[in-house]
Amino acid sequence: MRVCVIGAGVVGVTSAYFLARQGHDVVLVDSQPRPAEVSSYANGGQLSYSYVAPLAGPGVLPSVPGWLLRSDSPLRFRPRLDPHQWRWCLQFALACRASVARASTAELLTLSYLSRDVMHALLAQENLDFGHLKNGKLIAYRSAELLDKARALVAYQAAHGADQQVLDAAQTLALEPALAGMGASLAGAIYTPSEEAGDCRQFTEALFDRLQGMANVQCAMSNPVSGLQREGRRVVAVQSRDGDIGADAVVLATGIGTRALLSPLGHDVPLYPLKGYSLTVPLADDDRMAPAISVTDYERRIVYARVGGVLRIAAMVDIGGGDAQIDPERIALLKRQVHEAFPGLDLRQAIPWAGLRPATPKGKPLIGRSPAADNLWLNIGQGALGFTLACGSAALLSAQMGGLELPLDPAPFQP
């Protein structure tokens, strides 16, 4: 089968790789000259397999009014004259119900554990250099009340296979001394020893290099796609700047660009770009000012991960930002908050970045056949978990497309 995969971010490249490994002829198309140039470029770096609770949760809506009134809020909302934005926000609010959040968490855990297993199998076969570490993860809490509430989530996730521990402040500092800068504000942490980290862009580039060496793969980069030509119930061609690309099947791994390609076919998807920011901080080999373990500052929604010789710091959700331009005020705020938590960290050479996370209201990706055409497939909506879920999403999609035994129930992720 000849498959055209549109989108060379981490989700598209992993999809193309696993389809090619099955023996399909694959054409990978992207508008950028290199892979991972957009949302996969400088994201958080955590491979958070055991902690995939969606952004929509029962504690979110009560916090929103306070967040919107604070200049240092992790969430910023800019209302627009856009019906899609308001529909998405309404669906997000409905997804914040405890029952929905619990179900979404359980479903995401099945996909994340699959992704972990597929990633480990991949790394046993391919020598990919992307700063991969199995260094665990701490979710640090400043509020004793919130830490106590987190115990319930730890117990719930334990029932689904997660191995996590609740630590007090002293135990947390013994495990990660770099958190001493938080001082008396540190109440404790949730520790997940099995969590991992790595550079998403480097991973995507390394896998892309493997694709280029495969005889059944063609990489058509710097080639924007303008539309899909459909005849009856089938897409017969992908319309690109360099000409039409014929294929037996088409995969959209196009992130926020998906709606524009699906709209002429009469299919809309609940996908919205959530803007996030990151800092990449160079580190000396013996730098003890930065955490050795991946850290999430829960109240401030800031994540820290060592990837190679740098510390990747990612934070914030801007709804309605519209583009990936860097907002100097948000970067300045992020630097202040990082300095407060890690006062010894040198941020003078920090490289700022902003990107758009294509997210669904429930936080679950859409993986499977599009109702718009029998041979059109989607692998979209991984949001902030794109790196974590990419391998599992690609494995599920390729099994569906190849008619193979499915590694998990696809129903929760069906478009």
Side-chain angles (χ1 to χ4, degrees):
M1 183 166 63
R2 179 175 165 87
V3 183
C4 181
V5 178
I6 308 174
V10 66
V11 172
V13 169
T14 50
S15 298
Y17 176 84
F18 284 105
L19 286 165
R21 282 276 301 272
Q22 281 186 13
H24 302 295
D25 292 325
V26 174
V27 182
L28 178 64
V29 187
D30 196 273
S31 61
Q32 301 296 318
R34 289 289 298 167
E37 287 289 312
V38 188
S39 295
S40 300
Y41 187 81
N43 61 21
Q46 292 186 352
L47 288 165
S48 186
Y49 298 120
S50 296
Y51 207 93
V52 292
L55 178 63
V60 172
L61 291 184
S63 302
V64 167
W67 282 344
L68 296 181
L69 293 173
R70 284 168 38 198
S71 60
D72 62 347
S73 168
L75 183 147
R76 184 170 63 180
F77 176 65
R78 287 182 174 175
R80 305 169 68 90
L81 294 176
D82 176 8
H84 180 69
Q85 181 193 64
W86 290 98
R87 284 197 302 271
W88 190 94
C89 288
L90 176 59
Q91 291 173 316
F92 177 85
L94 293 173
C96 286
R97 290 173 294 169
S99 59
V100 176
R102 281 196 301 270
S104 296
T105 297
E107 290 159 353
L108 283 166
L109 281 170
T110 65
L111 183 60
S112 69
Y113 291 155
L114 170 65
S115 200
R116 177 194 60 197
D117 295 343
V118 172
M119 171 68 90
H120 291 172
L122 171 64
L123 295 182
Q125 296 172 337
E126 300 278 14
N127 182 23
L128 305 177
D129 183 9
F130 61 103
H132 183 228
L133 287 175
K134 296 183 178 180
N135 58 343
K137 175 178 175 177
L138 284 165
I139 301 178
Y141 287 84
R142 300 165 184 270
S143 163
E145 181 182 359
L146 288 176
L147 177 62
D148 195 53
K149 288 182 178 179
R151 294 176 188 271
L153 181 59
V154 169
Y156 179 72
Q157 295 193 151
H160 293 273
D163 176 18
Q164 297 173 314
Q165 306 165 27
V166 183
L167 308 180
D168 61 23
Q171 292 170 319
T172 302
L173 291 175
L175 193 62
E176 181 48 80
L179 285 169
M182 294 180 68
S185 67
L186 178 65
I190 305 298
Y191 176 49
T192 311
S194 61
E195 299 292 63
E196 305 171 22
D199 188 296
C200 179
R201 175 173 58 86
Q202 292 178 6
F203 170 81
T204 308
E205 289 177 337
L207 201 58
F208 178 81
D209 289 344
R210 296 297 187 277
L211 281 174
Q212 289 187 304
M214 299 173 73
N216 59 331
V217 176
Q218 174 189 352
C219 297
M221 305 300 287
S222 300
N223 187 24
V225 170
S226 58
L228 305 173
Q229 182 181 343
R230 183 180 61 182
E231 293 181 4
R233 289 290 307 166
R234 296 184 64 81
V235 172
V236 295
V238 173
Q239 299 165 328
S240 77
R241 188 186 63 186
D242 294 345
D244 288 356
I245 302 170
D248 301 309
V250 175
V251 174
L252 298 187
T254 39
I256 61 170
T258 305
R259 294 186 65 236
L261 291 174
L262 286 178
S263 180
L265 306 184
H267 182 198
D268 197 8
V269 285
L271 207 62
Y272 199 79
L274 305 184
K275 187 173 182 177
Y277 298 84
S278 79
L279 297 170
T280 300
V281 182
L283 298 175
D285 291 341
D286 59 347
D287 196 330
R288 298 183 180 180
M289 298 297 102
I293 298 173
S294 292
V295 171
T296 296
D297 185 337
Y298 181 80
E299 281 88 338
R300 291 183 172 175
R301 303 302 199 272
I302 302 176
V303 302
Y304 301 81
R306 279 188 185 248
V307 288
V310 304
L311 181 68
R312 180 67 49 74
I313 305 167
M316 301 176 180
V317 175
D318 286 359
I319 301 176
D323 58 46
Q325 294 296 312
I326 295 174
D327 183 336
E329 292 185 4
R330 295 294 262 174
I331 291 295
L333 169 63
L334 178 55
K335 287 184 175 181
R336 288 197 302 272
Q337 291 180 330
V338 171
H339 180 71
E340 290 171 6
F342 298 94
L345 197 60
D346 186 356
L347 300 178
R348 288 174 297 179
Q349 298 184 59
I351 301 171
W353 177 80
L356 302 177
R357 311 176 184 113
T360 64
K362 292 183 179 180
K364 297 187 298 184
L366 302 177
I367 306 166
R369 194 191 308 269
S370 165
D374 293 340
N375 64 335
L376 180 60
W377 300 80
L378 306 183
N379 194 357
I380 57 173
Q382 283 79 6
L385 294 170
F387 190 19
T388 296
L389 299 179
C391 284
S393 299
L396 177 59
L397 178 76
S398 59
Q400 289 177 293
M401 294 180 66
L404 305 177
E405 181 180 355
L406 299 181
L408 52 77
D409 180 6
F413 312 105
Q414 187 64 36

